[in-house]
Structures are given as C-alpha cells and as structure tokens.
Amino acid sequence: MNMEIPVVIFLGAPGAGKGTQATYLAEAKSIPKISTGDMLRSAVHEDSELGRKVQMIMKEGRLVDDKTMLSLVKERIAHNDCRNGFILDGYPRNLAQASALDTVLTPEMKLKVLNIQVSEEEIVKRIAGRRTCAKCGRIYNIYFRPPDFDEKCDLDGASLCQRSDDDESVVRKRLATYKEETLPLIRHYRDRKILQVINGLQAQAAVRKAVLAAVDR
Ligand code: AMP
C-alpha cells in the first residue's frame, strides 16, 4: 500500500502569516503544527536549560544553532501524533537545516513547501502591531485586527502582550536574518520543484484556501 505522509514546510518572512496559516491547516488536516519559535519561547518561559541557552539569541533576532534545532525537531517528530504527517512552522530556516531535515525524513514522507509572499513594509506593520493574549494565545493586530476593548482579549479579557522580539528594531534584524539565511532556501526548494508560492497579501480566508489547494495538489 502506498501510504504518503505529508510534511508541510511553511516558508516566508516573519509576519507573513505562517503561524496563522499553519494553525488553520493543522486543524483542517488533523495533523500537528510544529512551531520551533513556540517551542523555544516555551523553553524560555519555563526557564529550562534550553531556554536559558537561547534567550539572548532570540532577543537579538539571531538564529539558534543548527544542532540544537535539529535535536529539538527530531525529538518532536518522533511523537506518535506525527505518524500521519505534520506541519513545520519556522523550520528549516537555512540550507544546513534543510539538509539535516532530509536525513530524518522516512521515504514515505512527502515534502510540500509553501512560500507565503508578503512585502517588507507590510511585514513591519504586521509584526510591530501584533499582540497576543497572555492567557489563551489568541493573536490580534492593533492596526488590522484590534480587540474590542483597549489591549484586552475579546474572549477572556486578559491583557494582550507584545512578543519581546516583535519590537520594530528587532523586526528589522529578523528580516535581515531572513534575507541572509532563509531566502536561499526558497531557491533550493524551487530547484527541487517542490516549492509553491502563495500570495500572502490576500485576505486571510483566500490565503487559507490557496494553502489547502497547494497541500492537496
Ligand atoms: P519565529 O517564531 O519562528 O519567528 O521564531 C522566533 C525566534 O526563534 C527566531 O528569531 C530565532 O531566534 C528562533 N528560531 C525559531 N526557529 C528557528 C530555527 N529553525 N533555527 C534557528 N532559530 C530559530
């Protein structure tokens, strides 16, 4: 029996909407979304050994080393909930990570790479305006999707916070890191003919539809 296991990679600059779209797709396909950024933020929050190691790096908008990232991802995708496929949000981030990922995939796993494209000005606005509910994690944007009441979550009234690396100067640094390290990945996957480009400037529902169509293709 030919059992194909989808492994979806979301590429795109910080703020392109990878996290939001990966969450939708995970629900639609009943497969887990693995966000390396979220995993690292939890580690920082828990003040674990990993958290202490990566805290400064994340604060400065730099990348955590490839070896640490591979062991984190490898351990996560070995969990039972990944057996029918999974979505990677934020990994791989450079060519070395892309090669490392290839070594941990099984022959049944089929890579589908989606690049969500958005302009730089839009990104700065999106990220600098982004706020997250401290309690339920719901995402808002003070420019595009403000809460009903000033800086409070519509669902539970908890305060909204800004990620420490969403500050504008850090956003610019993260964009520079993205251009330097992650753009070559787009070429890499385009050459392998598994890259699909999604226009991230469309309304969220249209992006969602395009993502689903790309994954089912
Ligand atoms: P993100 O939420 O994906 O924007 O990630 C936030 C931060 O976590 C990044 O700016 C990096 O410092 C770190 N990070 C997340 N994923 C990776 C990765 N694959 N490789 C290296 N660092 C990462």
Side-chain angles (χ1 to χ4, degrees):
M1 196 169 60
N2 181 19
M3 267 269 293
E4 199 174 78
I5 301 174
V7 174
V8 183
I9 294 176
F10 275 94
L11 296 181
K18 299 189 297 287
T20 308
Q21 292 301 328
T23 303
Y24 284 141
L25 185 66
E27 267 173 37
K29 295 282 172 195
S30 302
I31 54 176
K33 165 192 130 169
I34 300 172
S35 159
T36 46
D38 285 351
M39 289 165 85
L40 294 172
R41 276 184 290 278
S42 300
V44 170
H45 189 70
E46 287 159 13
D47 198 28
S48 66
E49 194 184 327
L50 171 67
R52 287 192 293 276
K53 182 164 121 183
V54 302
Q55 189 168 28
M56 250 352 258
I57 299 173
M58 291 178 76
K59 225 175 175 159
E60 291 167 1
R62 291 182 291 122
L63 291 185
V64 174
D65 70 280
D66 297 337
K67 197 169 159 222
T68 303
M69 293 312 300
L70 179 64
S71 60
L72 197 67
V73 169
K74 203 171 162 181
E75 194 272 328
R76 178 64 188 86
I77 67 178
H79 288 202
N80 205 28
D81 64 342
C82 293
R83 70 190 181 288
N84 294 325
F86 52 90
I87 300 163
L88 291 171
D89 165 23
Y91 189 90
R93 223 40 173 237
N94 57 29
L95 286 174
Q97 292 183 5
S99 308
L101 175 65
D102 286 337
T103 67
V104 296
L105 298 182
T106 62
E108 301 77 41
M109 290 179 179
K110 185 168 180 210
L111 270 186
K112 292 164 184 259
V113 186
L114 311 186
N115 177 27
I116 306 201
Q117 255 179 355
V118 176
S119 65
E120 187 161 336
E121 315 87 84
E122 172 82 8
I123 281 169
V124 172
K125 228 174 154 182
R126 282 187 183 186
I127 303 193
R130 180 157 67 184
R131 300 288 183 277
T132 312
C133 171
K135 200 167 165 194
C136 71
R138 188 174 196 194
I139 299 168
Y140 294 85
N141 187 293
I142 54 170
Y143 303 112
F144 308 118
R145 191 182 179 231
D148 292 339
F149 296 104
D150 194 33
E151 304 273 321
K152 300 273 183 241
C153 179
D154 294 345
L155 299 181
D156 53 33
S159 297
L160 303 184
C161 7
Q162 184 175 34
R163 263 169 57 174
S164 60
D165 60 350
D166 275 353
D167 173 86
E168 186 162 339
S169 62
V170 183
V171 170
R172 299 239 176 242
K173 169 68 186 147
R174 286 166 66 204
L175 276 173
T177 304
Y178 169 74
K179 281 190 195 154
E180 207 174 298
E181 308 256 3
T182 314
L183 275 181
L185 267 186
I186 292 178
R187 184 190 221 153
H188 169 78
Y189 287 121
R190 192 190 297 133
D191 290 348
R192 284 174 60 177
K193 301 198 171 21
I194 50 174
L195 181 78
Q196 303 195 64
V197 179
I198 312 274
N199 173 5
L201 285 174
Q202 307 171 89
Q204 224 177 71
V207 179
R208 196 170 163 177
K209 212 170 142 190
V211 164
L212 269 177
V215 170
D216 289 337
R217 205 162 281 142

